[in-house]
Amino acid sequence: FGHMMMAGITKLTAIPSSISYNLSIVLIASLVAQGAYGVVYNLIKTSGSNAKTALVFALAAPIFVGVVSNLEGVLEFVHAQGWGSGNFWNWVGIKGLNASSQAASFYPNESWWGWAWRSTRVIDTVIDGRSLDYTISEFPFFSFILGDLHSHVLSLPFILLNISIGLNLLLFPGRIVISWIKDNPWQVFVTALSLGALGFINLIDFPVFGILLLILIFMKCYVVSKNAWTVIGNVLVIGGTIVLASVILYLPFYVTFSSQVSGILPVRDVATRPLHFFLVWGMFLFMGVSMLIMHLLISKRYFRKDIFYLSLFFAISPFLLWASIDLFLSIDGTGFIESLISITGTFLRIVLGLCIVAGAFFGAFVWLKRGYSRDVVFALILLSIGVYLIIGPEMFRLLDIFNNRMNTVFKLYYQAWIMLALVSAYALYYCVSRWNYKGISARFFSWGWILVAGILILSSLYYAPGAAVDKTKSQLPDSLDGLAFVKASSPGEYEAILWLRENLSEGNIVEAVGDDYSEFGRISSSTGLPTILGWSGHEFQWRGSYTDIRGRSEDVEEIYVSSDIQRVQELLKKYNVTYVYVGPRESQRYSLIQTDKFDEFMTRVFQEDDVTIYEVY
């Protein structure tokens, strides 16, 4: 859906895709900044603060969401200075940081370090140079500077939209009971429309933010009812109606949808090292947990056993469900004792996270029940879900073609980043505005907290300017046109792309097939015209098998190298090819290329430098 929206704007504005792609990246980043600012501004205003304070503190939101990186940048700086022994870097265990730099500099002096994916490949277990737990821990700024328009990036504005709608639901002044559906049809429709859009854009967002919505509905129903069954019934009817509507609104997508994910498995053999966990989440957790502790100290006089047990249930039930599944699977021969040992080890690793979740739910329930500070309540709910998203991959992983937890960490960490970044921005206001600055000890503690927070924030900001400067180093003039470099390096190919855009509105082309992350597939991707096969590795990832693409690479090679005209014509007809593209990559890839045959049954419609395009009669 995200690709459709960006393509739709491209068509409506008649802007070439090589330019609109870059504008799309900027658009997403801008919408993310606006959405993040709006959420935190409204949270601060809801707390009773004045507009000026809200305007200033809310500025932290777009910075935390879209500019800061994780703390791996600090290690990049240390490494660039030549500090640290070989044993130290072996202990750190991040690929590429094996030995200190020989020439100290403020930024790493290696080529394209801004593209170096170490900052997004922090969590790993490396033994003898081999990854046992290869994961992805990307964050929005990396995605923006990479120029990434994958679904997890395109969904960011819609994630913030759903968070905003959730906040609006929590701030709803009336009761949330079953009649609310009938009395507020437009709010129900908009909520379902925005939630359903997440599934259409990036499917894994749908259950996460569906759960957020159900928790908010539960809390609103819990406030006005003392009967547990009434609360559960209201949640099932209201939440079920919205979720069902969100699916129905996008039903054509689900009818034809298929995924390479085939299930969920417990994680047993790998775990995240505390150091790596801190590098990714240290700053956000410091901010969020500080707010939580302050809030719990205020809330302790309102302690209620029923709320405590309810909060404990919310925190521990997903873990108990996972543990039960793990024990059940041990029946197949893994061993009951070994499974118990694994579960115990996992519990010890995530127990602090479970305590944060339980504490956040307790603080939220207590405050909401008393009718206080719904801004704090909402921040605590985001904190609890965000923390569960980052401890979740310690318990389970998606079963996919990679057969590891790479995508599990990738997808859930990206969602958690948005939630915890918003919480941290609000926590900055919450803590600074509530610290006690009277008395020596109070001032010492308060200013000490501000110092630590400042160090963590500045450390998180190291990567952004350095990577931006390094990424934009180029001998070419600055341009929004993503094909400007092709125009400079291969003018014949550039003119061929323009010609195809102007002269072929339908039909397929054929070009050479090569490796992923290479120049191969450039003509199809630059014109939007289908080719027989692009990057086969990515096609396999998206489809989950080679069934649909098996034999295509060999067919393309045969089209170029075969001297059997009848066979070539059969292949061109099989794939409905209108144009055959012959350029430097085709000549390089297929050394036995037979181009003379094309003149016998095709027409040369384009010739420029080393590029020729043939049209099928």
Side-chain angles (χ1 to χ4, degrees), residues 397-471:
R397 66 174 177 86
L398 298 174
L399 178 60
D400 55 23
I401 60 174
F402 300 104
N403 199 31
N404 57 31
R405 61 176 187 155
M406 178 183 72
N407 268 331
T408 309
V409 171
F410 181 15
K411 299 295 186 179
L412 297 188
Y413 271 34
Y414 215 80
Q415 298 164 342
W417 186 280
I418 305 303
M419 294 187 182
L420 297 181
L422 293 174
V423 170
S424 297
Y426 175 79
L428 183 64
Y429 155 77
Y430 183 92
C431 294
V432 170
S433 64
R434 286 169 172 78
W435 282 127
N436 182 5
Y437 299 98
K438 296 180 180 179
I440 296 177
S441 59
R443 286 200 300 269
F444 177 81
F445 190 83
S446 301
W447 286 108
W449 182 91
I450 293 174
L451 177 63
V452 174
I455 292 174
L456 289 173
I457 293 171
L458 288 176
S459 299
S460 299
L461 288 170
Y462 169 82
Y463 175 85
V469 169
D470 189 73
K471 172 74 180 292

Side-chain angles (χ1 to χ4, degrees), residues 193-250:
L193 185 69
S194 61
L195 178 62
L198 284 181
F200 196 2
I201 299 171
N202 188 35
L203 188 60
I204 199 171
D205 291 338
F206 182 80
V208 171
F209 291 92
I211 290 172
L212 171 62
L213 177 67
L214 292 176
I215 289 175
L216 291 170
I217 294 173
F218 178 89
M219 300 191 79
K220 290 288 287 187
C221 295
Y222 176 77
V223 170
V224 299
S225 178
K226 295 183 179 180
N227 188 302
W229 292 111
T230 301
V231 173
I232 294 173
N234 286 339
V235 172
L236 290 177
V237 173
I238 299 171
T241 299
I242 293 175
V243 171
L244 180 62
S246 68
V247 173
I248 293 175
L249 285 170
Y250 299 91

Side-chain angles (χ1 to χ4, degrees), residues 60-366:
I63 295 174
F64 285 0
V65 171
V67 179
V68 303
S69 72
N70 56 47
L71 296 174
E72 194 274 341
V74 176
L75 294 180
E76 295 285 355
F77 174 79
V78 172
H79 187 263
Q81 305 312 303
W83 301 337
S85 64
N87 289 334
F88 170 78
W89 294 113
N90 288 334
W91 173 78
V92 168
I94 296 179
K95 283 184 176 180
L97 292 178
N98 300 323
S100 298
S101 173
Q102 298 300 314
S105 61
F106 188 72
Y107 291 117
N109 54 16
E110 58 191 84
S111 177
W112 291 103
W113 84 273
W115 278 75
W117 291 15
R118 290 192 292 259
S119 62
T120 63
R121 305 298 191 272
V122 174
I123 299 173
D124 198 354
T125 301
V126 181
I127 297 180
D128 297 329
R130 186 171 64 91
S131 296
L132 302 182
D133 186 27
Y134 181 81
T135 66
I136 299 176
S137 52
E138 285 189 18
F139 45 89
F141 182 82
F142 175 86
S143 302
F144 297 152
I145 200 170
L146 180 67
D148 192 354
L149 275 182
H150 277 136
S151 58
H152 63 282
V153 177
L154 289 160
S155 69
L156 288 177
F158 289 83
I159 287 176
L160 289 161
L161 174 63
N162 277 268
I163 290 174
S164 301
I165 290 175
L167 175 59
N168 187 64
L169 179 68
L170 187 66
L171 297 179
F172 183 76
R175 301 173 64 192
I176 301 293
V177 292
I178 293 177
S179 60
W180 175 82
I181 298 174
K182 176 175 65 68
D183 298 335
N184 300 271
W186 283 110
Q187 187 169 355
V188 173
F189 173 76
V190 170
T191 304
L193 185 69
S194 61
L195 178 62
L198 284 181
F200 196 2
I201 299 171
N202 188 35
L203 188 60
I204 199 171
D205 291 338
F206 182 80
V208 171
F209 291 92
I211 290 172
L212 171 62
L213 177 67
L214 292 176
I215 289 175
L216 291 170
I217 294 173
F218 178 89
M219 300 191 79
K220 290 288 287 187
C221 295
Y222 176 77
V223 170
V224 299
S225 178
K226 295 183 179 180
N227 188 302
W229 292 111
T230 301
V231 173
I232 294 173
N234 286 339
V235 172
L236 290 177
V237 173
I238 299 171
T241 299
I242 293 175
V243 171
L244 180 62
S246 68
V247 173
I248 293 175
L249 285 170
Y250 299 91
L251 193 58
F253 165 72
Y254 292 105
V255 169
T256 59
F257 177 76
S258 62
S259 172
Q260 47 113 334
V261 175
S262 56
I264 299 176
L265 288 178
V267 173
R268 291 175 173 174
D269 301 327
V270 294
T272 303
R273 289 177 57 195
L275 171 65
H276 294 164
F277 195 84
F278 175 78
L279 289 175
V280 178
W281 298 113
M283 191 270 281
F284 288 157
L285 288 179
F286 175 80
M287 305 293 288
V289 172
S290 296
M291 177 192 70
L292 174 61
I293 292 173
M294 288 187 67
H295 181 70
L296 290 178
L297 290 175
I298 298 172
S299 305
K300 64 181 181 180
R301 61 180 180 270
Y302 304 123
F303 180 84
R304 287 175 47 174
K305 285 186 178 180
D306 59 333
I307 294 180
F308 173 77
Y309 291 135
L310 180 63
S311 303
L312 195 61
F313 170 77
F314 268 95
I316 202 70
S317 54
F319 170 78
L320 293 178
L321 176 62
W322 165 79
S324 301
I325 295 173
D326 195 29
L327 285 173
F328 176 78
L329 292 177
S330 68
I331 298 175
D332 67 358
T334 304
F336 185 79
I337 300 301
E338 289 81 357
S339 182
L340 279 179
I341 294 173
S342 173
I343 291 172
T344 302
T346 300
F347 178 78
L348 294 176
R349 285 193 297 272
I350 68 172
V351 64
L352 290 178
L354 294 175
C355 290
I356 294 172
V357 174
F361 272 121
F362 176 79
F365 275 119
V366 167

Side-chain angles (χ1 to χ4, degrees), residues 483 493-503 527:
L483 291 177
E493 188 165 76
Y494 180 79
E495 293 298 327
I497 291 170
L498 296 183
W499 188 91
L500 283 169
R501 283 178 171 177
E502 295 173 359
N503 292 276
T527 61

